[in-house]
Structures are given as C-alpha cells and as structure tokens.
Amino acid sequence: MRVIPLCVVALGGWLTMPALAADDAFQWLKRLAEAEHQQSYAGDFVYQRNGSFSTHAIWQRVAGGEVRERLLQLDGSAVEVAMVDGRPVCATQGLVPGAASGNGLGGDRFDPRVLTQSYELRVIGDSRVAGRDTVALAILPRDQHRYGMELHLDRATGLPLKSLLLNEQGQLLERFQYTRLDVGDVTPETLRTGTGCKTVEVPPAREPQPVEWRSDWLPPGFEQLESDVRSSPAADESVAWLSYGDGLARFSVFIEPLRGEVVQDARSQMGPTVAVSKRVTVDDGDVMVTVVGEIPLGTAERIALSMRKAPGLAQQ
Amino acid sequence: MSREALHESLSAVMDNEADELELRRVLADSGETELRSTWSRYQIARAAMHKELIEPRLDIAAAVSAAIADEAAPVKPAEHKRSVWQNVGRIAVAASVTVAVLAGVRLYNGGADSAPQMAQQAAQPAPSGLSVPQAQGPAMLAGYSEGEADAGQAAQDTTAVEGWHEQRLPEYVRQHAQQAAFGGSETALPYARAASMEER
C-alpha cells in the first residue's frame, strides 16, 4: 500500500513537468515583451536568409516613457532608420505609404497569450549568444500553417539575442543574431543619425478605407490586423490590402483588378517570405490576389484562393 | 604539398569543409598562379552571393538563362572525385542565380501541389539542414550541414518571368515587410527582414 502514494507523487511530478516547462517559457516571453519597452541597449546583429546576409548596429534609449531607436546597416550602403515608439521619424530610403502613419490597430503588439493559441512553448536549455548567457526557447507550431522558431533570450535582461525560423522539415529559413550587446546607459549622442537620414513626413491621419473583401478560410489563430485601399504600384488602380497575424507570423493580401489582362499565376520565395499570386474570378471581372508573408507556400495558396468579394462589407 | 593535395584543399574550402586560414597559408607557400586565380574567382563568387558586390540592376531573365547555359555546358572531365573546376562552375552558377534573385523577385510558374518548402538553391551561404529543437535536455543549436543540392535545380525552377508581376511584386513585398517592421514590433527582426528586401 505504501507504493501507491509514491506512484501518485511520481506520476504527478512527471505529468506536471512539461506544463512547468511551458509555463517557464511563457514567463520568459512575458519578460521579453517588457524588456523591449524598458531596456536601453546598444549592439550589433546579423541577419541571414537564403540569398541575403547583412550586418546592423542598433541603439535603443528608453527615457521619460519614450523609446528611441536608431538602426544603421553596417555593410553596403549606410541604410539608416530612426524610430520613436516604433514609428519611423527619419530614414535614408523611401518608406511605403502607411509605414510612417502608425495608424495600426495596435493589435499585433507582442502578446505571449495570443502566441500560445497557435504555438507550443518550451524551454529547451541553456545557450550562449554574443558572449552572454541565454535561455533557448522553442516556439513550435501546433499545425502546418506556420513556421517554428528557436528563440534565445538574454538571461539578464530578457532581450532576444538570437532567433531562427524553421520550416516543417526543420530547415533554417532565416537567422537573426546579435554579435555584441551592451546593456545600460545609451547616450543621446549615439542616437544622432547621419545626414542621409531624411525626416519622414507623417501623412495626415485618415480612417482606413473599407475593403470589400474577406477571407473564406484562414489558418486557425490568424486574425485580421489591418485593411485599407491603396493605389497600385504599376497602374491607375485601387488595390485592396488586408493584413493578418497569429501573434508571431504575419501575412498581407493584395487584391488588384486585372481589367481583362491575361496574367498567369506566380509563386516566389525569398528566405522566409513567400509570395503567391492567384487569379480569382468575380462578377465584375478577374482580379489577381497576391498573398505575401512568412507562412508556408501551401497555406498562402489556400488563402489566396479563399478570398471572396463581399460588397458593403468592411473591417470584418 | 602536392598539386593534387592543394586542389583537394581548395575544393574542401569551397564546400566549407576546411579552414580558410590554413588554405591561405598553403597557397602562399605554393605560389601556384593557377590555384591562386581559382581561389580569387571563388572569392568573387562568394562576395556576390553575400551581396557585397555592387551589382547594377540585372535583367533577371538574361541572368538566369546565362546561368542555365553555363550549367549545361560540358564540364572538363574530372581528374579525381572532386574536381576543382566542377566546383568553381557550380559556385558561379549559384552566384549568378542568386544575383538574379537579388536584383528582383524570382518568379516561376508551375503546379500548385508541391510541398511548401524553401526554394532549393545549391551552394548557398545559408545553412540548410537544421534539427528541430528537441523537447528536453540541452539547447539544440543550429548546425551547418554540408549537404549539397544540385545547382541545376535552381535554374530549372526559374522559368518564366512576367512583366505584370515584376512591376508589382517587389512593391507588395516591401509594403508587407515595412508594415511589419514599423508595426510596433518587439524586435529588430522584421526591420532586418525588410532591409533585406530592399534592392540596392
């Protein structure tokens, strides 16, 4: 009879262990979410994907409830961006309309709770990045409609020092990794941008235009973040734009009328980003639906084919 | 060190199997001009792959056709299992395809049923074989695999390039990337991703 309670204890302990590991990972992600808004730091990082490798320097200064950031590309042309509370204030290169407006619905602010709906979180062990002790987390997709991530967080601050995006076969799609991180005081001088960094004009605030499109099918966990009507990059046409996210992955849908033009479907992949264009027939002529995002190709195709026109419908 | 051994070393370096510093030393000792030029060509090819060379805007179709043509060209019979020339050719093809991809957006038509996976490009700088993190135990860190795909595959995938998409896709991709980069992200990752989409 003495064996039974022991068994219960042992079994109970064994059952709760994975739960604790997940809970631990969740706590780490919460720490990450806080650190990015409270921590001043400076560092260098590399970004690598299929066909691209670049090095960057970053400075972040948090003072008076304001987060100021400066990012400078270290190789090739000196691409530079300065941001205040995540909104670009100066940039060496032209930004797309909407990038500077900051009129996002704010729905995509990193929230570990949203993440757990679509991903399983695990602490996978200790690691070391940029000469600092880090904890390695696995963010594993619960289905085949999104990629997994290996995330290494600084033990001292919770800052993400390394992230690897992996496809379902475990192949590396992209690497983001710090090579140096200095935590603490960042002087305002270091945040001063070069002369090539041109002030970003903030367009007058306007309500996003209603989009007469909706998705018939979405991968579980993805929700619409924003939508708007923009002008076509190549023709005098209006393009309906919708963006979706699951708390980690994002994709955008662009819908442009073809006006009788014969254009074939297309697919392309740039590292983690896939672009799928599908011709969809609606009552008033064909349109080209283009899905761009960090999602598997098959999922993007299915989304493209699931877009439906719903006149009079907006923000749904 | 024999000539054969030198070729072997060079070949190994191209496959990321040897220490570069070691090879530099060997080359300096050998004074072989042929090997030196092979080595410098390799460096240029790799620089191109890493976007370090400032390339003017390229005609994607022409660049890809050239890559295919190069690939199809008969290769000098190998003296031994891993010919240096074979490797140089392969890297050059991969580099030119990569540059074509960088210059624009790679488009290809085809069946919609293929499994979603990373476009296969051979001899690329990115590591390909990576283990999925395991449940427990010590952290699984990224490891490079030495697996090599066939460069010809990258060229085959790239068939038709359409003007309509060519005019729009780069801008759509930019819009998507920048929206994520400046959408209140917690890390600089979406920013770096967006920067990598910019043509320079």
Side-chain angles (χ1 to χ4, degrees):
Chain A
M1 285 308 273
R2 233 178 295 156
V3 180
I4 293 165
L6 201 71
C7 274
V8 170
V9 170
L11 193 69
W14 177 72
L15 284 173
T16 50
M17 238 164 60
L20 279 172
D23 196 44
D24 205 21
F26 184 81
Q27 294 305 324
W28 272 110
L29 287 180
K30 269 175 73 178
R31 240 184 114 184
L32 153 69
E34 287 159 18
E36 279 288 344
H37 297 283
Q38 294 168 3
Q39 188 69 54
S40 294
Y41 62 89
D44 299 329
F45 63 84
V46 300
Y47 176 78
Q48 178 196 30
R49 67 162 166 86
N50 189 4
S52 177
F53 180 90
S54 56
T55 55
H56 308 258
I58 183 169
W59 295 264
Q60 173 166 300
R61 182 177 150 88
V62 183
E66 197 179 55
V67 182
R68 285 186 171 270
E69 266 176 285
R70 177 186 169 209
L71 285 141
L72 174 67
Q73 187 160 321
L74 297 174
D75 52 349
S77 47
V79 179
E80 196 171 13
V81 172
M83 292 186 266
V84 175
D85 292 330
R87 193 174 51 79
V89 290
C90 97
T92 47
Q93 289 182 333
L95 299 178
V96 300
S101 62
N103 65 353
L105 304 178
D108 58 327
R109 192 165 160 148
F110 185 70
D111 185 349
R113 275 170 306 177
V114 176
L115 209 69
T116 54
Q117 291 168 14
S118 309
Y119 300 87
E120 189 187 331
L121 309 178
R122 286 182 193 167
V123 173
I124 51 175
D126 299 325
S127 58
R128 188 166 166 272
V129 179
R132 298 174 70 92
D133 287 333
T134 50
V135 58
L137 310 179
I139 302 175
L140 304 165
R142 294 192 192 274
D143 58 29
Q144 75 280 21
H145 297 304
R146 61 211 90 220
Y147 296 134
M149 189 180 253
E150 187 184 304
L151 195 60
H152 299 246
L153 305 181
D154 185 30
R155 280 202 174 268
T157 61
L159 289 169
L161 297 191
K162 174 176 171 181
S163 75
L164 306 174
L165 198 68
L166 308 158
N167 71 5
E168 64 276 32
Q169 281 125 34
Q171 289 173 319
L172 185 62
L173 298 173
E174 71 177 355
R175 173 195 298 269
F176 169 87
Q177 185 170 338
Y178 274 84
T179 55
R180 178 184 67 86
L181 181 78
D182 296 321
V183 171
D185 267 358
V186 172
T187 59
E189 286 73 41
T190 55
L191 282 150
R192 202 162 292 153
T193 50
T195 47
C197 202
K198 295 176 193 69
T199 307
V200 173
E201 301 292 336
V202 180
R206 65 169 181 88
E207 282 291 304
Q209 291 181 53
V211 170
E212 293 187 323
W213 287 85
R214 63 181 178 82
S215 176
D216 232 17
W217 177 84
L218 282 176
F222 276 92
E223 285 183 16
Q224 189 179 318
L225 304 173
E226 291 174 78
S227 69
D228 201 358
V229 177
R230 292 171 174 175
S231 51
S232 164
D236 189 19
E237 289 286 353
S238 291
V239 178
W241 165 75
L242 305 103
S243 82
Y244 301 85
D246 70 349
L248 186 69
R250 286 177 69 125
F251 66 86
S252 299
V253 182
F254 301 88
I255 301 155
E256 182 164 349
L258 284 170
R259 306 278 176 226
E261 225 178 314
V262 179
V263 182
Q264 299 228 315
D265 294 351
R267 295 189 290 164
S268 62
Q269 178 124 23
M270 293 134 285
T273 308
V274 71
V276 173
S277 294
K278 288 271 172 197
R279 192 187 182 95
V280 173
T281 304
V282 287
D283 291 344
D284 47 348
D286 286 6
V287 297
M288 187 60 80
V289 177
T290 302
V291 176
V292 181
E294 288 71 39
I295 50 173
L297 186 65
T299 303
E301 298 222 346
R302 193 169 161 191
I303 294 161
L305 293 170
S306 305
M307 296 308 292
R308 300 281 178 271
K309 192 160 191 179
L313 188 109
Q315 305 282 324
Q316 291 261 324
Chain B
M1 192 180 258
S2 76
R3 185 189 154 85
E4 195 131 296
L6 278 172
H7 275 276
E8 199 77 78
S9 300
L10 189 58
S11 170
V13 166
M14 286 173 179
D15 296 329
N16 282 332
E17 283 167 2
D19 179 17
E20 287 186 25
L21 285 175
E22 171 63 18
L23 189 83
R24 273 180 213 275
R25 198 180 58 76
V26 170
L27 283 175
D29 287 350
S30 75
E32 267 202 54
T33 49
E34 185 201 311
L35 257 182
R36 269 172 192 284
S37 67
T38 306
W39 173 247
S40 75
R41 275 199 302 280
Y42 165 57
Q43 292 291 12
I44 290 167
R46 195 163 66 167
M49 278 190 267
H50 286 213
K51 230 168 137 182
E52 283 155 11
L53 290 185
I54 309 301
E55 287 282 347
R57 278 169 182 265
L58 296 174
D59 180 337
I60 298 176
V64 170
S65 317
I68 296 168
D70 284 356
E71 175 67 7
V75 179
K76 183 181 154 193
E79 284 168 30
H80 50 264
K81 234 174 81 184
R82 255 201 184 132
S83 160
V84 169
W85 300 110
Q86 238 165 4
N87 276 319
V88 170
R90 186 166 56 197
I91 286 162
V93 169
S96 53
V97 171
T98 308
V99 170
V101 172
L102 292 173
V105 177
R106 188 154 147 270
L107 301 171
Y108 55 92
N109 305 310
D113 50 354
S114 68
Q117 61 176 26
M118 189 164 164
Q120 294 292 323
Q121 290 196 11
Q124 65 200 8
S128 51
L130 184 84
S131 324
V132 185
Q134 299 288 308
Q136 303 292 340
M140 283 285 279
L141 303 179
Y144 286 81
S145 92
E146 309 298 334
E148 287 173 37
D150 192 355
Q153 207 177 335
Q156 277 167 17
D157 284 347
T158 318
T159 50
V161 177
E162 283 206 46
W164 195 93
H165 293 296
E166 214 176 318
Q167 287 171 354
R168 289 162 176 86
L169 258 186
E171 184 60 20
Y172 285 167
V173 170
R174 274 188 85 210
Q175 288 187 15
H176 165 77
Q178 289 196 9
Q179 209 75 33
F182 303 117
S185 166
E186 304 302 311
T187 79
L189 171 61
Y191 164 81
R193 208 181 265 158
S196 84
M197 301 290 180
E198 295 292 329
E199 294 173 48
R200 265 168 289 126

